[in-house]
Amino acid sequence: MEVVWRNLRFKYVLICIFVTFIVSCLISMSPISNDDRKYDLGTSSRDRSDVKSSINALRIRRKSKHRLAILVPFRDRFEELLKFAPHMRKFLDKQYLDYHIFILNQVDKFRFNRASLINVGFLEVKNDYDYVAMHDVDLLPTNDELSYSFPDKGPFHVSSPELHPRYHYPTFVGGILLVKREHFMKVDGMSNKYWGWGLEDDEFYVRLKEAGLNITRPQNISTGTHNSFKHIHDRNHRKRDMTKCYNQREVTRKRDRQTGLHNVSYKLEDTIEMKISDTSVTVLNIALICDKSITPWCECNKMDTSKDAKAKEKKKDQK
Ligand code: UDP
Ligand code: MN
């Protein structure tokens, strides 16, 4: 009896092993692997690698010590923004940075004021971020050697004159500049006197120098002025506002000791969270306020009293 029982038990164990073997063979031969299931749900292989790199980036972000706010002065450059946002996500995710993009959208009727927008952006983010990138919307870095890491020692000029497609003078600090919070505050941010195109970055250079800050730039980069950045600016469609009225020309050639971060005047009308092809951005709708007793050139109209306008009028009269 004992022998029969043992035999039966042995057979039972053998059958179990056999069934388990067959079932695992069937599972491994099945055409629906994990990845294929994802594909069935409509995820392409390119999307999958994007998802993977985003997850990786998120993981590293949690560990990174410093938070970067990308501050993008902006008005009416929608087609450029559509390219900028996804490009920057792909570019910066490779550097495993903890960053967020802020679009500083000027919604008032005054002339464009890049520097004041950056001041406003800084004030709005400074409690949550350790450093800012003052970043043109139309300048896309294309060489992965260009680092956006924390500029502890001093401002880091990513789009250096040796690499920028258009501006090559040695004191140029426009385009893309990384500045840590303490340094931006030390120089009282940027001047608020620059309405229209140009010179606000040159004035900022003087602020940095006067504060004794050492500006550094990318070194040993394998690319040059033609292939480090894409400047996606259509200059026929997006004309630069170079008009000068009242005494704008004289005033904006000098270092401004009156205005800066401490007295930028604005109203934050809206904060809008949006996604541009999988890239999260925050749009700040900013209405700048112009004190016409200090900067009447925030609006240049036909009735202005500048030398330029008077000269033009004279010419017309002579014709
Ligand atoms: N900008 C804008 N709308 C304007 C003018 C300027 O959004 O009407 C922003 C935009 O981020 C742009 C930056 O200011 O990249 C610098 O202006 P622009 O490209 O005209 O100057 P550039 O560096 O090409 O001389
Ligand atoms: Mn441009």
PDB file of all heavy atoms in Angstrom, residues 77 138 231 233 240, ligand 2:
ATOM      1  N   ARG A  77       5.887  85.945 -31.620  1.00  0.00           N
ATOM      2  CA  ARG A  77       6.863  85.081 -32.322  1.00  0.00           C
ATOM      3  C   ARG A  77       6.389  83.628 -32.206  1.00  0.00           C
ATOM      4  O   ARG A  77       7.169  82.742 -31.828  1.00  0.00           O
ATOM      5  CB  ARG A  77       8.246  85.195 -31.674  1.00  0.00           C
ATOM      6  CG  ARG A  77       8.889  86.568 -31.705  1.00  0.00           C
ATOM      7  CD  ARG A  77       9.640  86.795 -32.996  1.00  0.00           C
ATOM      8  NE  ARG A  77      10.360  88.050 -32.960  1.00  0.00           N
ATOM      9  CZ  ARG A  77      11.688  88.140 -33.022  1.00  0.00           C
ATOM     10  NH1 ARG A  77      12.434  87.065 -33.091  1.00  0.00           N
ATOM     11  NH2 ARG A  77      12.254  89.323 -33.021  1.00  0.00           N
ATOM     12  N   ASP A 138      14.491  82.741 -30.409  1.00  0.00           N
ATOM     13  CA  ASP A 138      14.852  82.319 -31.766  1.00  0.00           C
ATOM     14  C   ASP A 138      16.263  81.751 -31.864  1.00  0.00           C
ATOM     15  O   ASP A 138      16.782  81.541 -32.949  1.00  0.00           O
ATOM     16  CB  ASP A 138      14.678  83.490 -32.745  1.00  0.00           C
ATOM     17  CG  ASP A 138      15.535  84.690 -32.383  1.00  0.00           C
ATOM     18  OD1 ASP A 138      16.390  84.564 -31.499  1.00  0.00           O
ATOM     19  OD2 ASP A 138      15.350  85.751 -33.005  1.00  0.00           O
ATOM     20  N   HIS A 231      19.649  80.251 -35.648  1.00  0.00           N
ATOM     21  CA  HIS A 231      18.946  81.510 -35.399  1.00  0.00           C
ATOM     22  C   HIS A 231      17.745  81.504 -36.338  1.00  0.00           C
ATOM     23  O   HIS A 231      17.874  81.808 -37.528  1.00  0.00           O
ATOM     24  CB  HIS A 231      19.895  82.688 -35.688  1.00  0.00           C
ATOM     25  CG  HIS A 231      19.355  84.017 -35.263  1.00  0.00           C
ATOM     26  ND1 HIS A 231      19.838  85.200 -35.741  1.00  0.00           N
ATOM     27  CD2 HIS A 231      18.381  84.368 -34.396  1.00  0.00           C
ATOM     28  CE1 HIS A 231      19.183  86.214 -35.196  1.00  0.00           C
ATOM     29  NE2 HIS A 231      18.292  85.733 -34.373  1.00  0.00           N
ATOM     30  N   HIS A 233      15.274  83.305 -36.909  1.00  0.00           N
ATOM     31  CA  HIS A 233      14.655  84.620 -37.005  1.00  0.00           C
ATOM     32  C   HIS A 233      14.507  84.998 -38.488  1.00  0.00           C
ATOM     33  O   HIS A 233      15.509  85.114 -39.181  1.00  0.00           O
ATOM     34  CB  HIS A 233      15.577  85.599 -36.267  1.00  0.00           C
ATOM     35  CG  HIS A 233      15.083  87.007 -36.212  1.00  0.00           C
ATOM     36  ND1 HIS A 233      15.536  87.897 -35.261  1.00  0.00           N
ATOM     37  CD2 HIS A 233      14.200  87.685 -36.950  1.00  0.00           C
ATOM     38  CE1 HIS A 233      14.945  89.071 -35.447  1.00  0.00           C
ATOM     39  NE2 HIS A 233      14.130  88.956 -36.478  1.00  0.00           N
ATOM     40  N   ARG A 240      13.370  94.387 -36.858  1.00  0.00           N
ATOM     41  CA  ARG A 240      13.796  94.919 -35.556  1.00  0.00           C
ATOM     42  C   ARG A 240      13.307  96.370 -35.413  1.00  0.00           C
ATOM     43  O   ARG A 240      13.426  97.149 -36.353  1.00  0.00           O
ATOM     44  CB  ARG A 240      15.310  94.846 -35.436  1.00  0.00           C
ATOM     45  CG  ARG A 240      15.812  93.407 -35.494  1.00  0.00           C
ATOM     46  CD  ARG A 240      17.315  93.300 -35.390  1.00  0.00           C
ATOM     47  NE  ARG A 240      17.710  91.903 -35.281  1.00  0.00           N
ATOM     48  CZ  ARG A 240      18.058  91.124 -36.309  1.00  0.00           C
ATOM     49  NH1 ARG A 240      18.068  91.620 -37.527  1.00  0.00           N
ATOM     50  NH2 ARG A 240      18.372  89.863 -36.113  1.00  0.00           N
TER      51      ARG A 240
HETATM   52 MN    MN B   2      16.731  87.189 -33.424  1.00  0.00          MN
END
